[in-house]
Amino acid sequence: RSLSAWARAAGTQQVTGRRQMWRGGNKMLLLVALAAQSAVADDSFNVVAFAKDIPRSVRRSLSIFRSGTSGMWANYGKARVVRKRVRNGGPVVTYPELLLLRKSNEDTGKLIKAGIVWLVAPEILAFLVYTFPRFLPSTFETDAVRQERYRTLSRLRSKSVLDILTHIEQQAALKGRRGRIGSTQRERAIVLLRARSSRAALMVLNQYTIPADEEAAKKISKAPIRGLSGGVLKAGCTLIGDKTPGWLPKIARQSKLRNHLANLVVEDKVLATTDLRSLSRDELLEACFDRAVGALHSSDAELRSLLASWLRLTSWHSLSSSTSNAERLRLAAMATCAVGSARGGADFRLPQLLYAP
């Protein structure tokens, strides 16, 4: 008995040692993934040079990890102060404070997800960090990673426009009821693409943004994203940079898009009373890319002008059509702005050359 007990104890210690070594290896893989994430953001990335530079990259990634965790803790403290001030009837929040509150909530959720992955399947955490740059909290982002994220959003914006146009053409080619609906959508898309201004283009989507009656308005206010076809929902999620896997339930994508649009409604109210000249470049880029306007190479003056045009567009439509649903209005405005951005952008040159050589 004593011999068997000793064998079991030795086996348990061996398994425990292996687990500790495995988890220690996962920590090293996580640091390497953070280093690779920063290195891939550089256009001059070289595999051999990166392999030789791993020790220094790991030390740098460890520094990023420490600054990221301390930054997240600092943001949590600032967000708590803002919430307490608002609860006590203090001054209303500013746009930078709204961004802080939103980032704090998102970062908390990301940290919880990363912690669950670390406990359940730690071996895939490094892969997730390397593959999905926004998997970790925003405080872990470097300047290079942030710029690459904006470039990716710009490309996804153009891809979203091409995907939805292709989807409409395919629907219009079908027979029966789906084909008739697709033909109607194609006619509206033609009018939208030929519109001379964003305001005229947005008027094409009035039927989508304005409920038919009060009963429909109540239903839409509870679930503004419900009723979107699969192709439109996919294009909308692509527009905001969401990479939710297709095998997940449809409600997962609906939730991401609904939360994004709800944030825009609140932020637009604050931006309408904000002097846009007081916003930093990072805040301008964040606001513009959230609304599918602007580019990374745009100047601060151009970003302010685009953001002001967005605010005029949504406020004018809200005043002229008081029954417009706020979330659907923002989704329609993002669609019209994305068309203009795709036309003027340099992300998808080949389709432009196909139709205008």
Side-chain angles (χ1 to χ4, degrees):
R1 290 181 181 178
S2 59
L3 182 60
S4 60
W6 176 84
R8 286 196 300 269
T12 302
Q13 291 178 358
Q14 185 177 10
V15 172
T16 303
R18 288 177 179 176
R19 288 179 178 175
Q20 291 177 351
M21 291 176 61
W22 179 249
R23 290 185 178 274
N26 285 325
K27 292 179 181 179
M28 182 61 66
L29 284 175
L30 176 59
L31 293 177
V32 172
L34 284 171
Q37 182 193 70
S38 301
V40 170
D42 188 0
D43 295 336
S44 60
F45 176 68
N46 183 283
V47 176
V48 177
F50 171 73
K52 294 180 179 179
D53 198 43
I54 282 181
R56 187 174 65 87
S57 298
V58 169
R59 290 194 298 269
R60 182 177 59 199
S61 299
L62 183 59
S63 176
I64 294 174
F65 184 81
R66 289 174 177 172
S67 62
T69 52
S70 61
M72 186 176 175
W73 180 253
N75 286 347
Y76 172 76
K78 294 177 183 177
R80 186 173 56 181
V81 171
V82 173
R83 293 190 184 96
K84 183 177 180 180
R85 188 194 71 201
V86 174
R87 284 197 304 267
N88 295 336
V92 295
V93 295
T94 61
Y95 179 71
E97 290 175 339
L98 267 181
L99 280 183
L100 173 67
L101 295 175
R102 192 185 76 184
K103 293 289 186 182
S104 178
N105 291 334
E106 292 177 353
D107 289 347
T108 301
K110 292 177 181 179
L111 186 63
I112 293 175
K113 292 178 183 178
I116 293 175
V117 172
W118 180 261
L119 293 175
V120 177
E123 60 274 7
I124 69 171
L125 183 59
F127 169 77
L128 292 175
V129 172
Y130 178 78
T131 308
F132 301 101
R134 302 188 70 174
F135 181 78
L136 289 178
S138 60
T139 53
F140 289 80
E141 272 190 343
T142 62
D143 291 338
V145 173
R146 188 178 300 107
Q147 290 183 4
E148 182 60 28
R149 175 166 63 87
Y150 287 139
R151 293 191 189 97
T152 302
L153 286 173
S154 182
R155 291 191 294 268
L156 289 176
R157 185 192 303 167
S158 300
K159 181 179 183 299
S160 174
V161 173
L162 295 177
D163 285 348
I164 189 59
L165 294 179
T166 304
H167 171 75
I168 292 175
E169 288 284 7
Q170 292 174 346
Q171 290 292 110
L174 298 177
K175 297 180 179 180
R177 180 174 177 272
R178 295 177 62 185
R180 291 192 297 271
I181 295 175
S183 298
T184 302
Q185 292 177 345
R186 183 173 61 181
E187 294 300 323
R188 291 178 183 171
I190 292 174
V191 177
L192 188 150
L193 293 173
R194 290 178 175 173
R196 297 296 182 181
S197 65
S198 298
R199 180 177 298 184
L202 188 58
M203 292 295 293
V204 180
L205 302 176
N206 266 347
Q207 186 175 356
Y208 168 73
T209 60
I210 302 177
D213 48 39
E214 293 185 2
E215 183 177 355
K218 292 180 180 179
K219 293 181 179 180
I220 292 176
S221 62
K222 295 180 181 179
I225 307 302
R226 184 178 300 174
L228 290 181
S229 65
V232 176
L233 178 61
K234 181 180 178 181
C237 290
T238 302
L239 191 59
I240 65 174
D242 177 50
K243 294 184 178 181
T244 301
W247 51 267
L248 287 178
K250 187 178 179 180
I251 191 174
R253 288 187 173 183
Q254 290 177 337
S255 176
K256 292 284 186 66
L257 186 57
R258 171 71 188 277
N259 290 338
H260 183 87
L261 297 175
N263 288 332
L264 293 186
V265 173
V266 177
E267 292 171 6
D268 283 351
K269 293 180 180 179
V270 176
L271 285 171
T273 60
T274 300
D275 183 4
L276 300 183
R277 292 173 297 182
S278 65
L279 301 181
S280 65
R281 178 169 180 80
D282 287 339
E283 292 166 351
L284 287 171
L285 284 172
E286 194 76 23
C288 287
F289 273 88
D290 281 345
R291 291 157 178 79
V293 297
L296 187 60
H297 58 76
S298 300
S299 64
D300 292 358
E302 291 173 338
L303 294 175
R304 292 191 190 96
S305 177
L306 290 169
L307 188 55
S309 298
W310 165 277
L311 295 174
R312 287 194 299 270
L313 179 65
T314 53
S315 63
W316 169 83
H317 198 276
S318 298
L319 292 174
S320 61
S321 305
S322 57
T323 56
S324 295
N325 178 264
E327 285 88 351
R328 288 194 171 191
L329 172 60
R330 264 94 190 149
L331 181 58
M334 288 179 66
T336 58
C337 292
V339 171
S341 299
R343 281 174 172 167
D347 302 304
F348 277 67
R349 286 293 179 88
L350 295 182
Q352 295 176 1
L353 292 175
L354 176 64
Y355 297 106

